[in-house]
Amino acid sequence: MPTTVKDAIRMFEEAEKIKAAEAERVLLYGQIPPIEKMDNNLSSLKMCTQLSLSTNNIDKIAGLSGLENLKVLSLSRNQIKKIENLDGVAATLEELWISYNLIEKLTNIEKLENLRVLYISNNKIDSWAEIERLAQLPQIDELLLIGNPLYDKFKAENPQVIGSTWRLEVLKRIPRLKKLDGVPVEQEELDAITQAANKILD
Amino acid sequence: AEAEEDLAAAKPALDDAIAALSLITGRDISTLKQLKKPPDIIKRIMDSCLLLKHQPINRVEYEDLKGEMVIVSTYSQSLVMMSDIRFLDSLTNFPKEQINDETVELLQPYFMASDFTYEAAKKASGNVAGLCSWTRAMCAYHEIAKVVEPKIQK
């Protein structure tokens, strides 16, 4: 029997001696046995700014309506295939931690208009078209892509110059990034992209 | 100055972790690789290194180990990691300023296990136990640096 969201919230309340409805950080990660379903019990977390559900076996994002203050959503190391059902938190969500899942497409990501941070290492992203969707996010400044097929393939094909070429290809598409794969973006990298673009124009 | 004091507070733990790391030799790693049944705690310590290095890890599952439910490790991937002759160097020179909050959270379920301590790991497998202190110190460093950095930038 998997742990339910309701049970996990109850255990969090007992351990932290706090009412979940009044807590800003609600930490439900690493439940034994793992949580498999997100449900409407989450909507009672009215004050929650950070909801952590990492290291479980969740296969679908759901039940997030009513979390009017949610800024950080942590769903890393689950079994999620799609970015969906985030409309209820799209206006406030600033950070999405979703590494170690099964996401192939970034459909719907453009709805997250306040998203600053996206950690999405070790998923199934396989094409530049998916990365290009992120350029539509007006606030995005930190991105983690290590361990996706797109990254691994690029690394295999460009073994000598992995750092720089990979970074330039991503930055060319999302020039407003301040940090990529954990490393701050340098002015020289942005200059190199401008130079390359000017060459093509000449 | 306050920021410097905060960072100084993190230093002893970091120094200990680096010292523990320096005790591990290439020979310790190759001995470990040859074990048919490595101690379970060592396999889970290796998982924590995989996570810090953003390397692949299996979906979470638990198994009963002497009455305690612990995470089933992704040891096949750790064997690949240890086969790189630069493995120990990559830890000694680990870019700790690149650690993020997500990774720290992914390590917590490992840290919660009662045997995830230097002493227990040392008993099970000698010097390689240094990796246990090291992963914990990396997370502790991140937590302190996160508070200190904004103060330095001011």
Side-chain angles (χ1 to χ4, degrees):
Chain A
M1 277 268 286
T3 302
T4 62
V5 165
K6 198 176 171 183
D7 289 343
I9 289 177
R10 184 180 48 77
M11 288 186 282
F12 169 78
E13 289 184 325
E14 281 169 15
E16 301 291 320
K17 310 218 178 342
I18 187 173
K19 284 198 181 118
E22 291 165 9
E24 290 189 12
R25 294 177 79 214
V26 180
L27 307 179
L28 310 177
Y29 58 71
Q31 297 296 318
I32 309 175
I35 298 172
E36 291 182 3
K37 294 264 172 282
M38 291 170 75
D39 62 39
N40 290 333
N41 284 294
L42 293 169
S43 59
S44 64
L45 307 174
K46 295 288 176 215
M47 301 304 289
C48 183
T49 58
Q50 176 179 341
L51 175 61
S52 289
L53 286 159
S54 63
T55 314
N56 280 295
N57 269 326
I58 296 163
D59 61 0
K60 202 170 156 49
I61 303 175
L64 291 173
S65 59
L67 278 78
E68 286 159 11
N69 298 301
L70 194 67
K71 288 188 179 152
V72 179
L73 177 59
S74 158
L75 294 167
S76 328
R77 200 175 186 186
N78 277 286
Q79 294 286 306
I80 296 165
K81 293 177 196 69
K82 266 162 92 178
I83 293 187
E84 61 184 343
N85 300 327
L86 288 172
D87 295 3
V89 296
T92 55
L93 196 67
E94 294 177 9
E95 304 195 16
L96 179 59
W97 309 349
I98 198 158
S99 295
Y100 297 101
N101 277 283
L102 304 166
I103 293 163
E104 198 177 321
K105 303 248 182 277
L106 295 176
T107 324
N108 295 330
I109 195 97
E110 64 279 0
K111 292 182 187 164
L112 304 176
E113 54 189 29
N114 281 308
L115 197 70
R116 277 193 307 106
V117 173
L118 178 62
Y119 298 138
I120 191 162
S121 82
N122 291 280
N123 274 273
K124 304 279 176 201
I125 298 169
D126 200 10
S127 84
W128 286 109
E130 299 309 315
I131 306 302
E132 280 155 17
R133 293 178 199 264
L134 298 172
Q136 297 175 44
L137 297 172
Q139 305 295 336
I140 189 94
D141 60 24
E142 186 171 349
L143 181 60
L144 179 70
L145 288 169
I146 296 171
N148 280 286
L150 180 70
Y151 177 94
D152 292 339
K153 234 187 274 175
F154 197 93
K155 192 172 165 179
E157 286 163 11
N158 303 268
Q160 310 300 325
V161 280
I162 160 66
S164 55
T165 326
W166 162 257
R167 292 176 67 80
L168 294 188
E169 286 299 320
V170 176
L171 292 172
K172 209 161 78 184
R173 289 165 172 91
I174 323 172
R176 53 162 297 123
L177 286 181
K178 292 199 176 73
K179 208 184 240 190
L180 172 61
D181 298 333
V183 180
V185 173
E186 300 289 341
Q187 188 57 42
E188 293 90 70
E189 293 179 301
L190 298 173
D191 292 345
I193 295 167
T194 318
Q195 263 179 20
N198 286 341
K199 245 182 217 164
I200 295 166
L201 290 176
D202 286 349
Chain B
E2 192 194 335
E4 279 163 24
E5 273 171 37
D6 289 347
L7 266 188
K11 208 163 173 302
L14 270 183
D15 288 347
D16 287 352
I18 299 298
L21 206 55
S22 71
L23 292 178
I24 309 172
T25 64
R27 194 171 183 159
D28 291 328
I29 298 295
S30 51
T31 308
L32 176 61
K33 266 166 53 192
Q34 282 157 18
L35 292 181
K36 283 217 172 63
K37 280 194 166 180
D40 195 74
I41 176 58
I42 300 299
K43 295 200 281 185
R44 278 176 282 127
I45 290 173
M46 287 298 166
D47 266 28
S48 68
C49 294
L50 290 174
L51 286 165
L52 277 163
K53 290 162 79 75
H54 304 301
Q55 296 201 5
I57 205 144
N58 294 342
R59 70 182 284 176
V60 68
E61 271 185 275
Y62 293 85
E63 61 188 350
D64 191 317
L65 182 84
K66 295 172 195 153
E68 185 175 348
M69 297 305 280
V70 297
I71 294 184
V72 177
S73 63
T74 310
Y75 199 57
S76 56
Q77 190 64 37
S78 296
L79 284 170
V80 175
M81 173 173 69
M82 288 189 281
S83 296
D84 187 338
I85 50 161
R86 292 160 301 181
F87 171 57
L88 285 172
D89 281 345
S90 78
L91 301 185
T92 310
N93 303 315
F94 191 79
K96 56 186 183 302
E97 64 289 343
Q98 291 178 23
I99 298 170
N100 65 41
D101 290 340
E102 180 192 46
T103 304
V104 172
E105 187 177 292
L106 284 168
L107 286 163
Q108 298 311 310
Y110 289 91
F111 291 174
M112 284 188 287
S114 65
D115 60 352
F116 206 96
T117 63
Y118 177 76
E119 291 72 25
K122 174 95 183 174
K123 221 166 136 188
S125 198
N127 287 341
V128 178
L131 292 179
C132 179
S133 322
W134 181 76
T135 54
R136 281 185 184 273
M138 288 297 109
C139 291
Y141 173 84
H142 172 75
E143 292 301 319
I144 292 172
K146 191 166 72 179
V147 180
V148 173
E149 253 170 49
K151 291 187 195 165
I152 292 176
Q153 277 164 13
K154 256 182 215 168

